[in-house]
């Protein structure tokens, strides 16, 4: 937390589903207020293929390798959610102008692991790199883990034992002091790839479980079913303290945050600790719902919690409600009873001048005005989050995933996504929009792009795990 202030950030920019036939690229953005190129994209590294759907990223080395002088954080791992290609990017030679170091082709992933649709990347203390998968090569759900060699970046094989893969996959986090790893579930890749159909939830195409794994033996020990309230558990975070035996998971469709913890018996359990109630609305129309399923008239819009993170001091929890349009900050000093300390709206589905009217809101909040920053009305809604090491600046982008962006926020396909900055009160809590910060990806050279997850060259509170 006492490290230097961030000066640049990396984030993938996506063209799949936008109608622009250009490859996705890795953008380098200047976030140093003293720089003449502050708030600008200063470098773009295009991938050599179309329609990869870059999504999340991770490092070849992080704090889990602390004390190993042979390790350097100089390669950014970029898995492609749709093509299943994995790019290894050299950020060490010139951090301001990354270059491609190696490409792991989909066939290597398919043939050596039987997995596909790679998502979350974490480096391991062993020097290897582990990437969670969401599916198999046929587009079915399969929650396994791909191992890469930390030096050659060749596919080594599977982390999980044969037959131990979970029915769905998404995110994961491990805590070696407790010999445990936790993984979550999104859904079946071939059913979510082009949009969200609520019928697929009823058909069991989406997950609701958190899986508990033995970190040493790689066995799946438990599967905690969070039920309807925990439908589509996405990002999962242990507390950063390596001795802690608890953490939080954001459940998108349920609009809830669950705390998971080790019980006195030694097994693991989960309890709901935050609920974002649905808002009853009229005028919310999604005419492009797959399967000709139209949502109109009187509906209940969930918050759709899509990203969560925990400050490095384990004091504050942040998450984004991608449909409601707000970011929330909770004081989690009392781990079982989080306390709301900050909230800010940055777009979403319910601006006061839009077609959607809120009829009932259990929280009795007024509909927010549209958010305008530096003359631009913010399209889409807050999604990916990244916190500065000192906890004082929260960065946010608006794209969730191109197929869902196109469905829920078609204006973002036309206008591009944005990157914003929120000032954080780390003393008593509170959030305030920085009105002088905006990176507009609607003005990119090849046309509007969809910017996603943020990474600092020196690591951050969602990339690093301590031993």
């Amino acid at each position: 937390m006492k490290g230097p202030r961030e000066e640049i950030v990396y984030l993938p920019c996506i063209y799949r589903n936008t109608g622009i036939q250009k490859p996705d690229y890795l953008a380098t953005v200047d976030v140093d207020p003293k720089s003449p190129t502050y708030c600008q994209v200063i470098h773009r590294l295009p991938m050599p293929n179309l329609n990869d759907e870059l999504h999340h990223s991770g490092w070849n080395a992080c704090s889990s390798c602390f004390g190993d002088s042979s390790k350097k954080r100089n390669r950014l791992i970029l898995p492609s959610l749709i093509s299943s290609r994995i790019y290894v990017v050299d950020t060490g030679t010139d951090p301001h102008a990354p270059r491609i170091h190696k490409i792991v082709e989909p066939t290597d992933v398919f043939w050596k692991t039987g997995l596909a649709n790679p998502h979350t990347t974490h480096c391991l203390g062993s020097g290897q790199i582990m990437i969670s998968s969401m599916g198999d090569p046929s587009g079915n759900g399969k929650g396994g883990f791909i191992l890469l060699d930390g030096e050659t970046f060749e596919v080594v094989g599977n982390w999980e034992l044969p037959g131990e893969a979970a029915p769905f996959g998404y995110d994961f986090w491990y805590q070696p002091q407790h010999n445990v790893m936790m993984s979550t579930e999104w859904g079946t890749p071939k059913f979510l790839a082009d949009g969200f159909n609520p019928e697929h939830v009823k058909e069991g195409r989406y997950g609701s479980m958190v899986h508990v794994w033995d970190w040493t033996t790689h066995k799946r020990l438990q599967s905690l079913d969070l039920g309807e309230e925990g439908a589509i558990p996405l990002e999962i975070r242990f507390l950063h303290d390596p001795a802690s035996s608890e953490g939080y998971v954001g459940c998108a469709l349920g609009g809830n945050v669950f705390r998971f913890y080790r019980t006195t018996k030694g097994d693991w359990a989960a309890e709901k600790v935050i609920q974002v109630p649905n808002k009853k609305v009229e005028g919310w129309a999604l005419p492009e719902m797959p399967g000709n399923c139209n949502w109109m008239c009187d509906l209940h819009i969930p918050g759709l919690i899509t990203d969560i993170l925990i400050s490095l001091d384990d004091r504050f929890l942040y998450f984004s409600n991608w449909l409601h349009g707000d970011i929330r900050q909770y004081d989690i000093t009392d781990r079982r009873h989080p306390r709301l300390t900050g909230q800010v709206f940055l777009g979403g589905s319910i601006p006061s001048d839009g077609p959607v009217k809120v009829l009932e809101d259990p929280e009795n909040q007024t509909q927010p005005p549209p958010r305008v920053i530096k003359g631009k009305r913010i399209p889409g809604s807050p999604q990916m989050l990244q916190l500065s090491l000192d906890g004082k600046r929260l960065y946010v982008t608006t794209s969730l995933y191109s197929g869902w962006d196109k469905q829920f926020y078609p204006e973002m396909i036309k206008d591009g996504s944005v990157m914003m900055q929120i000032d954080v009160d780390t003393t008593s809590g509170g959030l305030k929009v920085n009105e002088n910060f905006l990176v507009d990806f609607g003005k990119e050279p090849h046309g509007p792009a969809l910017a996603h997850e943020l990474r600092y060259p020196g690591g951050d509170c969602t990339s690093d795990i301590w031993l």
Side-chain angles (χ1 to χ4, degrees):
M1 291 186 72
K2 296 178 181 178
R5 177 179 172 137
E6 67 282 356
E7 296 181 349
I8 58 174
V9 298
Y10 303 124
L11 65 168
C13 295
I14 292 88
Y15 275 127
R16 181 176 170 269
N17 274 316
T18 66
I20 297 173
Q21 292 301 304
K22 292 291 182 179
D24 299 345
Y25 59 97
L26 181 69
T28 305
V29 174
D30 187 336
V31 294
D32 180 2
K34 300 177 182 178
S35 170
T37 53
Y38 178 57
C39 272
Q40 295 178 30
V41 179
I42 58 174
H43 185 266
R44 298 170 183 87
L45 174 66
M47 302 300 113
N49 300 280
L50 296 175
N51 298 316
D52 279 318
E53 187 89 34
L54 298 181
H55 198 61
H56 285 209
S57 62
W59 292 106
N60 64 314
C62 72
S63 297
S64 67
C65 300
F66 181 78
D68 185 344
S69 60
S70 69
K71 301 298 179 186
K72 292 182 179 180
R73 191 196 306 266
N74 59 5
R75 299 289 185 267
L76 185 67
I77 314 302
L78 276 174
S80 304
L81 194 60
I82 295 300
S83 72
S84 297
R85 195 170 280 111
I86 301 170
Y87 296 99
V88 181
V89 176
D90 174 3
T91 60
T93 303
D94 184 352
H96 288 78
R99 62 192 71 176
I100 291 179
H101 174 74
K102 181 182 176 67
I103 302 174
V104 178
E105 293 296 341
T107 49
D108 284 343
V109 177
F110 297 161
W111 295 347
K112 294 179 180 179
T113 68
L115 301 173
N117 312 106
H119 188 270
T120 296
T121 301
H122 281 301
C123 66
L124 309 183
S126 66
Q128 291 181 317
I129 298 160
M130 192 156 96
I131 307 173
S132 60
S133 79
M134 288 179 53
D136 67 14
S138 298
N140 302 302
K142 189 176 184 181
F145 303 91
I146 303 158
L147 284 176
L148 301 184
D149 183 278
E151 299 296 329
T152 66
F153 304 101
E154 294 290 332
V155 177
V156 174
N158 299 65
W159 179 86
E160 79 280 5
L161 299 176
E164 288 284 307
F168 302 105
Y170 186 72
D171 194 22
F172 74 100
W173 198 281
Y174 61 89
Q175 203 79 321
Q177 287 195 26
H178 293 280
N179 192 37
V180 69
M181 180 182 81
M182 299 285 194
S183 69
T184 60
E185 301 183 329
W186 185 2
T188 309
K190 64 184 176 184
F191 287 102
L192 63 83
D194 296 316
F196 175 71
N197 185 341
E199 292 300 317
H200 291 157
V201 178
K202 299 175 184 178
E203 295 170 1
R205 309 293 187 184
Y206 286 88
S208 62
M209 292 188 182
V210 171
H211 301 284
V212 183
W213 305 78
D214 185 299
W215 186 238
T216 303
T217 66
H218 305 184
K219 291 182 179 179
R220 183 152 56 103
L221 302 176
Q222 287 180 258
S223 293
L224 307 176
D225 190 347
L226 305 183
E228 188 174 336
E229 289 190 317
I232 312 185
L234 295 180
E235 309 296 341
I236 190 164
R237 315 286 185 220
F238 264 100
L239 297 180
H240 296 291
D241 178 355
S244 68
S245 58
E246 60 186 326
Y248 300 90
V249 57
C251 302
L253 197 59
N256 298 306
V257 174
F258 278 72
R259 167 183 171 261
F260 60 88
Y261 59 96
R262 192 166 203 163
T263 73
T264 55
K265 297 187 298 181
D267 61 353
W268 295 81
E271 61 179 352
K272 185 178 72 172
V273 293
I274 299 173
Q275 179 177 4
V276 177
N278 294 351
K279 300 179 188 291
K280 185 178 181 180
V281 303
E282 66 177 4
W284 192 45
L286 294 177
E288 296 184 12
M289 189 71 77
N292 296 317
C293 178
N294 296 336
W295 283 8
M296 301 184 70
C297 304
D298 288 355
L299 295 167
H300 289 81
I301 300 182
L304 208 75
I305 297 173
T306 49
D307 195 19
I308 71 168
L309 60 77
I310 299 173
S311 60
L312 284 175
D313 59 3
D314 289 335
R315 182 184 170 193
F316 290 111
L317 172 76
Y318 300 85
F319 65 79
S320 53
N321 286 311
W322 194 62
L323 289 183
H324 289 176
D326 61 314
I327 295 174
R328 301 191 182 202
Q329 175 199 50
Y330 286 80
D331 185 319
I332 54 171
T333 305
D334 182 342
R335 307 301 187 199
R336 297 190 66 187
H337 302 96
R339 179 172 58 89
L340 181 64
T341 50
Q343 182 182 24
V344 62
F345 279 85
L346 297 165
S349 301
I350 56 170
S352 56
D353 66 345
V356 179
K357 181 181 179 182
V358 177
L359 303 176
E360 295 178 14
D361 182 357
E363 294 180 314
N364 293 317
Q365 296 183 337
T366 58
Q367 287 188 239
R371 176 65 66 177
V372 177
I373 301 177
K374 298 181 74 171
K376 181 182 175 78
R377 178 174 177 140
I378 303 304
S381 187
Q383 210 285 101
M384 293 307 299
L385 307 173
Q386 192 54 264
L387 189 66
S388 61
L389 300 184
D390 61 10
K392 295 180 179 180
R393 292 167 301 283
L394 184 68
Y395 294 93
V396 54
T397 57
T398 51
S399 169
L400 170 60
Y401 162 72
S402 69
W404 291 28
D405 293 348
K406 184 178 180 180
Q407 177 185 8
F408 288 93
Y409 294 111
E411 73 277 7
M412 188 162 54
I413 302 296
K414 177 173 66 75
D415 298 335
S417 66
V418 299
M419 174 179 166
M420 299 168 282
Q421 185 191 87
I422 311 299
D423 294 326
V424 179
D425 182 339
T426 57
T427 303
S428 55
L431 303 175
K432 183 181 179 181
V433 177
N434 182 344
E435 300 288 352
N436 297 312
F437 186 101
L438 184 76
V439 183
D440 184 359
F441 290 93
K443 297 180 178 179
E444 287 296 273
H446 292 304
L450 302 171
H452 197 61
E453 191 189 40
L454 304 121
R455 283 274 172 255
Y456 305 140
D460 46 62
C461 63
T462 58
S463 67
D464 281 42
I465 293 175
W466 284 266
L467 302 182

